[in-house]
Amino acid sequence: MKKRARRRLVFNFVITFIGFFWFSGLVAVSSFYVFHHFLALPIEHLRRAAPITFFNLIFISVIFAVIGTVWKKLSVEKPINDINEVLLRIKKGDFSAKLNRRYYPTRFSTIVNNINLMTNELSSLDSLKVSLLSNISHELKTPLSVMSNYATLLQDTSITENKQIEYSKAIMDSSKKMTELVTNILKLNQLENQNIPSDIKKYDLSEQLCECLLGFEDIWEKDNIEIDTDINENILINSNEQLLNIVWNNLLSNAFKFTPEGGKITVSLTQTNRFAVVKIADTGCGIPEEQTELIFEKFYQCDTSRATDGNGLGLALVKRIINITNSIIKVESILGEGTTFTVKIPKK
């Protein structure tokens, strides 16, 4: 590499020297011709001046060749070499590589800015990947440990039939939880790569919301939860019915999960000229104000006491679906009093 760099340096010097010498020689010869032809200078004067002019041309050409070579190396070759070096570091997975824009000419500023932005994005994605793998590993470890422990207990032939049923149920519950986690991960991965909702059709949102709510009938009867509905009939929208079904089921599931026994859940559906507006409110524990923006992050669970009831992917799925259906979601919460989710879906 060093030999190649030296050869390139010598080559640049020679080319610059030849170019400047050729141009200067052309100017000098033209000047001599003008002096001799138009000014009628004696030929002897021109002959005496020619060698001096020749050596001056060589000297000046060397000076300018050195200046041109150094300028080209500092203003072109060095930035390109630095950029290549940083790109090689990024290729090897070093996303901390950066370029300081003030050390490079203005014409390289856009390239330098774009490289720095790229490394920032790659670094964020790398951190997100590590965090995601850590969270997935943690979420899978708990049900697997439960299944392993109870399977070991089931090998004891002296346990009673009731204990066998209890242990089998625990294994089944952990298996369902793990299946739900994997299913949600696959759904989220599919939605992350989707920007435009498919299977768009006109359907009755009022009917869909009622059907989703009825799916939780066993829970509200068991916990004696009051249901207050204000669902306007025959509200039609153009959207993906299957995706929005995931939204309502997740929001209702959260509402029932955090509403205590004897609490109240309110579901309403209204419409404006442009939107169908769904509100799902509960009288649960509420969300601290500083956490209302974090609840849509993957695996984030603000109430750790209920972490065993979910996997922290439900609201991440909701947010992604809201984005790709061009909808709007807003959360309002008062700690200790309850939470309200408002979703606005475009009707067309």
Side-chain angles (χ1 to χ4, degrees):
M1 288 294 291
K2 289 184 178 179
K3 286 184 178 179
R4 190 187 301 174
R6 280 198 293 268
R7 287 174 185 171
R8 190 185 301 116
L9 188 66
V10 172
F11 178 77
N12 288 336
F13 174 82
V14 171
I15 291 298
T16 307
F17 173 80
I18 291 173
F20 190 82
F21 184 77
W22 179 84
F23 176 75
S24 303
L26 182 63
V27 172
V29 170
S30 301
S31 300
F32 274 113
Y33 176 77
V34 169
F35 292 152
H36 176 66
H37 187 75
F38 293 100
L39 301 179
L41 288 177
I43 191 68
E44 292 78 10
H45 290 181
L46 296 178
R47 286 175 179 171
R48 285 198 301 270
I52 298 173
T53 303
F54 177 75
F55 286 113
N56 284 338
L57 287 176
I58 292 178
F59 177 74
I60 293 172
S61 296
V62 168
I63 296 295
F64 275 92
V66 170
I67 293 172
T69 303
V70 171
W71 177 83
K72 184 178 179 182
K73 185 172 181 61
L74 294 177
S75 64
V76 179
E77 290 186 7
K78 185 180 183 302
I80 291 174
N81 290 336
D82 289 348
I83 289 170
N84 284 333
E85 184 180 342
V86 166
L87 291 175
L88 285 173
R89 287 173 60 189
I90 294 170
K91 181 183 176 182
K92 293 176 181 178
D94 180 9
F95 301 133
S96 63
K98 293 285 190 302
L99 290 165
N100 194 330
R101 190 179 67 175
R102 65 181 180 178
Y103 294 151
Y104 303 100
T106 306
R107 61 180 173 275
F108 285 98
S109 59
T110 302
I111 297 173
V112 170
N113 282 338
N114 288 337
I115 289 175
N116 288 339
L117 286 172
M118 180 179 69
T119 55
N120 288 335
E121 290 296 324
L122 288 172
S123 180
S124 299
L125 287 173
D126 192 54
S127 299
L128 183 62
K129 180 181 72 174
V130 171
S131 175
L132 188 62
L133 288 174
S134 175
N135 285 324
I136 291 173
S137 301
H138 175 75
E139 292 292 336
L140 288 173
K141 183 179 179 181
T142 302
L144 284 171
S145 298
V146 170
M147 292 167 68
S148 176
N149 292 337
Y150 281 109
T152 302
L153 291 172
L154 279 173
Q155 292 176 356
D156 184 358
T157 56
S158 63
I159 61 174
T160 64
E161 185 177 348
N162 287 337
K163 285 293 183 183
Q164 288 180 355
I165 295 172
E166 179 186 340
Y167 297 161
S168 298
K169 185 178 182 301
I171 292 174
M172 184 65 71
D173 290 342
S174 294
S175 175
K176 286 180 179 178
K177 184 175 180 181
M178 196 160 62
T179 302
E180 181 187 355
L181 172 64
V182 173
T183 302
N184 281 341
I185 290 172
L186 292 174
K187 283 180 183 175
L188 191 56
N189 181 63
Q190 182 182 8
L191 292 173
E192 290 288 356
N193 298 316
Q194 182 177 345
N195 293 317
I196 301 173
S198 56
D199 300 327
I200 295 176
K201 64 178 182 179
K202 180 173 281 191
Y203 74 94
D204 192 333
L205 179 59
S206 310
E207 184 179 339
Q208 181 189 40
L209 209 54
C210 290
E211 288 176 357
C212 288
L213 184 59
L214 287 172
F216 295 90
E217 186 175 3
D218 291 343
I219 298 176
W220 82 59
E221 287 183 350
K222 176 188 171 185
D223 294 337
N224 193 30
I225 294 174
E226 180 186 350
I227 304 296
D228 184 10
T229 60
D230 181 16
I231 299 175
N232 291 356
E233 296 181 354
N234 301 320
I235 293 184
L236 304 177
I237 61 171
N238 275 304
S239 194
N240 186 304
E241 184 175 3
Q242 185 180 2
L243 290 182
L244 287 178
N245 209 55
I246 296 172
V247 172
W248 313 135
N249 279 319
N250 273 290
L251 293 180
L252 287 169
S253 176
N254 276 352
F256 282 106
K257 181 168 69 175
F258 292 106
T259 300
E261 188 173 347
K264 178 181 177 181
I265 288 178
T266 303
V267 180
S268 70
L269 171 60
T270 56
Q271 64 179 333
T272 64
N273 290 335
R274 294 177 54 205
F275 296 101
V277 183
V278 178
K279 289 189 178 183
I280 298 174
D282 63 60
T283 56
C285 57
I287 304 169
E289 185 178 354
E290 66 275 8
Q291 295 182 7
T292 52
E293 292 299 323
L294 300 174
I295 59 175
F296 296 105
E297 298 292 331
K298 300 180 186 74
F299 295 103
Y300 185 82
Q301 293 179 323
C302 59
D303 186 356
T304 54
S305 65
R306 293 177 182 260
T308 56
D309 296 338
N311 48 52
L313 287 176
L315 288 178
L317 276 168
V318 167
K319 182 63 174 176
R320 183 58 188 153
I321 293 169
I322 291 296
N323 288 341
I324 65 177
T325 56
N326 295 318
S327 302
I328 301 167
I329 189 166
K330 182 181 177 183
V331 55
E332 296 172 297
S333 187
I334 300 175
L335 201 59
E337 294 186 18
T339 303
T340 301
F341 284 92
T342 302
V343 179
K344 295 182 178 180
I345 311 116
K347 292 195 292 185
K348 296 182 179 180

